[in-house]
Amino acid sequence: MKLLDISEVVASSGLPASTLRYYESLRLITSAGRHGLRRQYEPEVIQRLALIDMGRAAGLSLGEIGALFGRKATPDIPREDLHQRALALDSEARGMMALATMMRHVADCPAASHMECPSFLKLLRVGSAHRARVRVRKRQAVRTPSRGRV
Amino acid sequence: MKLLDISEVVASSGLPASTLRYYESLRLITSAGRHGLRRQYEPEVIQRLALIDMGRAAGLSLGEIGALFGRKATPDIPREDLHQRALALDSEARGMMALATMMRHVADCPAASHMECPSFLKLLRVGSAHRARVRVRKRQAVRTPSRGRV
DNA sequence: CCTTGACCTCAAGTTGGCTTCAAGTCGTAG
DNA sequence: CTACGACTTGAAGCCAACTTGAGGTCAAGG
């Protein structure tokens, strides 16, 4: 297969060259060679970038993504981890949808100010209580560094 | 009503005092006075913090949240904006759920490596194509500074 | 051969949202 | 009255994920 010039990768991935170089410095991708100075990539890099992209969308940091790849080209994520991530994503998504519902309710609510609408106030309390709990858990996780993985 | 000492606000909001001071410096909240040096807050601050929290959960920056409050105590967000935000949230939530579904599929997929599962590859392409489009839109938004609000 | 322009490197800068630090100030318990 | 400890201040630091800038190199077109 022919190699792709960095400009082609930029075009087809939508990522700027600086980001590609940055990812390379983090060893998330590798360039297959140079043409003069210009990086040339194997076509698989596109798939790999898509994978990285997906990891980001799933809430992973670049460091975590790098760890998933390990030394191999394909990630081979433990299936249990995938289930965990899926659960976390679902719950986050549900939270967002609840919030959306709430915002719609508020938008259509006849009370003059949102702060006078009892439903709004109730949802406000519930939502923030939930997020407060999450914050507390996070802080505990930081104080107890070993058990933090997802 | 009695005022709340900052320590009480810390306890009931779950936010550290440093964050409260930070929010105050951004004029997102106000302290009602001091007891010695200690900030005292009106009880309403709890609600306000919940509101801020909600805004963050909805994807607003602290700056945007401040703008929503304007000079008034209650936000009075234009209802159309709320609908827009709700739509954006829903679509993001749907994306996350799709991702979760995909991860579950992959977890249960019999292919030896994820990269050999055709469904995975297909979803990978679709998802990343979508996010690439979003990226392009964002960059255009930056280049065209005037139309960027939500 | 020479110019051009897209790439290169490395270091430093940016953004958002906080946190941390050193040094200082108070109210309160003893 | 004094010590304690929880608060205060302003400035600086931190983190992730990039981006930007200055100065350099190179392949290709004219």
Side-chain angles (χ1 to χ4, degrees):
Chain A
M1 291 189 199
K2 294 190 66 172
L3 297 179
L4 303 175
D5 186 86
I6 187 171
S7 62
E8 302 179 274
V9 177
V10 165
S12 66
S13 72
L15 294 170
S18 65
T19 301
L20 297 181
R21 285 190 288 268
Y22 177 61
Y23 282 0
E24 188 171 332
S25 78
L26 298 183
R27 324 203 52 178
L28 292 178
I29 59 176
T30 356
S31 48
R34 299 290 179 113
H35 176 59
L37 286 182
R38 303 163 88 99
R39 283 167 175 78
Q40 309 295 119
Y41 292 98
E42 283 168 10
E44 289 75 30
V45 82
I46 297 295
Q47 205 172 63
R48 186 134 176 164
L49 287 170
L51 222 33
I52 293 171
D53 207 9
M54 185 183 118
R56 303 264 311 119
L60 299 173
S61 72
L62 294 180
E64 288 173 309
I65 292 169
L68 290 183
F69 284 130
R71 351 232 122 264
K72 336 184 97 187
T74 65
D76 261 338
I77 311 157
R79 292 168 194 244
E80 184 46 35
D81 284 11
L82 284 176
H83 277 299
Q84 289 300 318
R85 280 282 168 193
L87 278 180
L89 273 178
D90 267 343
S91 110
E92 206 178 329
R94 271 198 305 279
M96 290 174 63
M97 284 185 160
L99 193 51
T101 301
M102 165 173 172
M103 290 175 71
R104 270 195 207 90
H105 166 90
V106 168
D108 299 333
C109 168
S113 157
H114 307 314
M115 296 317 266
E116 277 149 36
C117 166
S119 318
F120 180 76
L121 293 178
K122 179 177 174 198
L123 289 162
L124 189 56
R125 273 195 301 280
V126 172
S128 96
H130 168 70
R131 285 186 293 275
R133 278 197 303 280
V134 171
R135 270 197 299 272
V136 169
R137 274 202 291 278
K138 272 199 182 180
R139 286 207 254 166
Q140 285 171 344
V142 169
R143 279 197 286 272
T144 311
S146 68
R147 306 291 295 122
R149 286 342 235 154
V150 179
Chain B
M1 291 187 199
K2 295 189 65 172
L3 297 178
L4 302 174
D5 187 87
I6 188 171
S7 62
E8 301 178 274
V9 177
V10 165
S12 65
S13 71
L15 294 169
S18 64
T19 301
L20 297 181
R21 284 191 288 268
Y22 177 61
Y23 283 0
E24 188 171 331
S25 78
L26 297 183
R27 323 205 51 178
L28 292 178
I29 58 176
T30 356
S31 48
R34 298 291 180 112
H35 177 58
L37 285 183
R38 302 163 90 101
R39 284 168 175 78
Q40 309 296 118
Y41 292 98
E42 283 168 10
E44 289 75 30
V45 82
I46 297 296
Q47 206 172 62
R48 186 134 176 163
L49 288 170
L51 223 33
I52 293 171
D53 207 9
M54 185 183 117
R56 303 264 312 119
L60 300 173
S61 72
L62 294 180
E64 289 174 309
I65 293 170
L68 290 184
F69 284 131
R71 352 232 120 265
K72 336 183 98 187
T74 65
D76 261 338
I77 311 158
R79 291 167 195 245
E80 184 46 35
D81 284 11
L82 284 175
H83 277 298
Q84 289 300 318
R85 280 284 169 192
L87 278 179
L89 273 178
D90 267 342
S91 111
E92 205 178 331
R94 272 197 306 279
M96 290 173 66
M97 284 185 161
L99 192 52
T101 301
M102 163 174 173
M103 290 174 71
R104 271 197 205 88
H105 166 89
V106 168
D108 300 332
C109 168
S113 157
H114 308 314
M115 296 318 265
E116 277 149 36
C117 165
S119 318
F120 180 76
L121 292 178
K122 180 179 173 196
L123 288 163
L124 189 55
R125 273 195 301 279
V126 172
S128 96
H130 168 69
R131 284 187 294 275
R133 276 196 304 280
V134 171
R135 270 197 298 272
V136 170
R137 272 202 291 279
K138 272 198 183 181
R139 285 207 254 166
Q140 286 170 344
V142 170
R143 278 196 287 272
T144 311
S146 68
R147 306 291 296 121
R149 288 338 238 156
V150 179

